[in-house]
Amino acid sequence: MAVPGKVAAFRLPPLPTVGEIIKLFRLKAQKQLSQNFLLDLRLTDKIVRQAGELKNAHVCEVGPGPGGITRSILSAGVEQLLLIEKDARFIPGLQMLSEAAPGKVRIVHGDILTYNMEKAFPKRLKKNWEDEPPDIHIIGNLPFSVSTPLIIKWLENVSRKDGPFIYGRTQMTLTFQKEVGERLTANPGAKQRSRLSIMSQHLCTVENCFVIPGQAFVPKPEVDVAVVHFTPLVQPKIEQPFELVEKVVRSVFQFRRKYCFRGIETLFPEDGRLKRTEQLMMTADVDPTLRPFQLSMSHFRNLCNTYRKMCDEDPSLFVYNYREELRQKKRWHNRSTSQSQLIEEEN
């Protein structure tokens, strides 16, 4: 669990307010990029406190925008702050903050989805995975459009111990739509329980810190925003490759309102599907009449471990794709229908 830190170690010189920066550089949130600005520095301070003690830490802020959270991070007394901003319009305002904190800020104009995080921090900060988390933090008010693909990418990095996690169990404090935040932290039986719940909780301790009302942002989004803190676990709860876990979990939740049996059978080709599904569920000791959201982490662990054994015995299972099989059936059906129509026309 994140230990709230104190935000008072470093004082920035007098600067234009975030609102004045927006006016000065004529910045306007772009709807197609899901941009929403947070201007209240009390709230940005509160977000930064969820990251824990940042004095002399190295921090990467994702999508700093006009720099509200950036100010709070600098005020926490960090040693180095890396800003990764995709939108070039925000760079001049961020450079103003960089000049106000000499030697502390590095600005990268780039896309966080493609940026190489393995070279983002000094090598001396590396820690063994079993040790306490390194003095490295990732913080960001993420655009809604990028938040889910980004956290899935980083969870895969956690699984492989690469990307920003090559330095150890790097902690993350990120914003999501409230509904996504509830999915990330949902327990078995909760209606919000989803693929995200399993993929995040089997790799990290996930804490839904607090909710920011939508009206605090400019422009006001239609939903509230959750601040979520992630600390990678020393030992994952499911010790299987990320791709295998994701395939099993995605299949289970494919029909979330039906019995879990219905989703699990999509792991297998049509020929022998019923027999293999029964074999998997019996060996994993999972009640086939449970709904996907009722399954516990131990249920998913058993399913993944058993599916792995079945894949080892028959490697073609892992590359099998249920949706591709449906697409091929549809193409075959359309082709057959077209041929029948041609024959009828000729007759």
Side-chain angles (χ1 to χ4, degrees), residues 1 9 52 88 137 147 153 183 196 283 291 297 323 344:
M1 179 175 173
H137 297 262
S147 60
K153 171 184 164 65
R183 288 180 194 166
L196 274 180
T283 308
R291 311 283 179 182
M297 191 63 74
R323 291 188 179 277
E344 287 176 9

Side-chain angles (χ1 to χ4, degrees), residues 4 42 65 75 114 128 130 188 199 203 229 266 289 305 307 325:
R42 291 170 300 179
S75 297
T114 56
N128 293 324
E130 297 74 22
M199 298 309 297
L203 290 164
H229 184 83
T266 65
T289 63
N305 289 343
Y307 180 65
E325 184 182 75

